Amino acid sequence: MTGRAPRTPGGARVERAPAPGAPGRAPGRAPGSAPGRRPGGRPVPPVVLALRRLPAPRLTGLGAGLFASAVMLTVGFLDLLLLDGSPAAYGLLFLPVSALTALWVRTADLVTAPISVPIAFAVGVLPIAGGTGGLGGQAMAVVTALAVHAGWLYGGTLVAGVIASVRKVRDMGRRQRRARTATGTTGTTGTVKSTGTTAAVTPVAPVAKSTKSAKAAKAR
């Protein structure tokens, strides 16, 4: 017994669903593709595979800002305790935090990633700024630290901006592909329905011959 139903004249082919437990195609994988390969057959770089294995939470814009600020404040305190406030270590750790913030923010709030990252840098630099003399002295020390370490600040912001831009472009491409697929599916369904329908043709009466017959009858 085959898995296909008999075709009726003028009708579309109907495929039966496979029985439970029968081998079928794995969902979400293109035909002929293997794990670690793109649908075109090209191997996926190991870095991309490693990034795909990382957890991918979806944070709101506010959540991403709080995450970056909390992590950078923790990094600042650890840097002060372990490395005596090394600016290089703080700046190097700021880059992956910026990348994770841009990767984990949800698609609707991608624009907030390049804005949250500089704020997190300023929050985290408080422990290692080294200001004295009250609130005014602390503020001046933070401003001086931001000016001195502007390279790391710009670098982390650039990383977050590039990742957010790439994610936005990929999301727009996915939406366009889904729209084209939906349009193609709708067009195919309409063609199948029209193929199985037989239109009735109404004969047209010979108008010219009827007019000539009427004129001949009047002449007689």
Side-chain angles (χ1 to χ4, degrees):
M1 182 176 179
T2 60
R4 296 181 179 177
R7 293 185 62 183
T8 58
R13 178 181 296 177
V14 180
E15 297 287 345
R16 290 185 179 179
R25 186 186 305 168
R29 184 180 297 172
S33 64
R37 286 184 174 273
R38 293 191 178 99
R42 294 176 296 174
V44 180
V47 178
V48 177
L49 291 176
L51 289 176
R52 288 178 180 175
R53 295 190 189 100
L54 290 175
R58 285 295 171 256
L59 304 174
T60 62
L62 179 60
L66 292 176
F67 162 77
S69 299
V71 172
M72 290 311 301
L73 187 60
T74 305
V75 168
F77 278 114
L78 291 177
D79 186 18
L80 179 64
L81 293 176
L82 301 178
L83 301 174
D84 199 18
S86 171
Y90 181 81
L92 284 174
L93 292 174
F94 174 64
L95 299 180
V97 172
S98 302
L100 289 177
T101 303
L103 284 172
W104 288 352
V105 69
R106 64 183 183 179
T107 308
D109 297 329
L110 281 173
V111 70
T112 62
I115 302 173
S116 304
V117 164
I119 298 175
F121 186 90
V123 171
V125 85
L126 287 172
I128 63 174
T132 56
L135 185 59
Q138 289 288 342
M140 289 301 298
V142 169
V143 172
T144 304
L146 291 177
V148 172
H149 310 310
W152 295 112
L153 176 61
Y154 293 152
T157 307
L158 180 62
V159 169
V162 169
I163 293 176
S165 301
V166 171
R167 286 188 56 195
K168 187 64 176 179
V169 170
R170 293 185 61 184
D171 180 66
M172 293 171 62
R174 283 194 296 267
R175 290 184 180 180
Q176 291 178 357
R177 286 194 296 271
R178 283 197 296 266
R180 285 196 296 265
T181 303
T183 304
T185 305
T186 305
T188 305
T189 306
T191 304
V192 172
K193 289 182 178 179
S194 61
T195 304
T197 306
T198 305
V201 180
T202 305
V204 181
V207 180
K209 291 184 178 180
S210 301
T211 306
K212 289 181 179 179
S213 301
K215 288 182 179 180
K218 287 181 181 180
R220 290 176 186 176

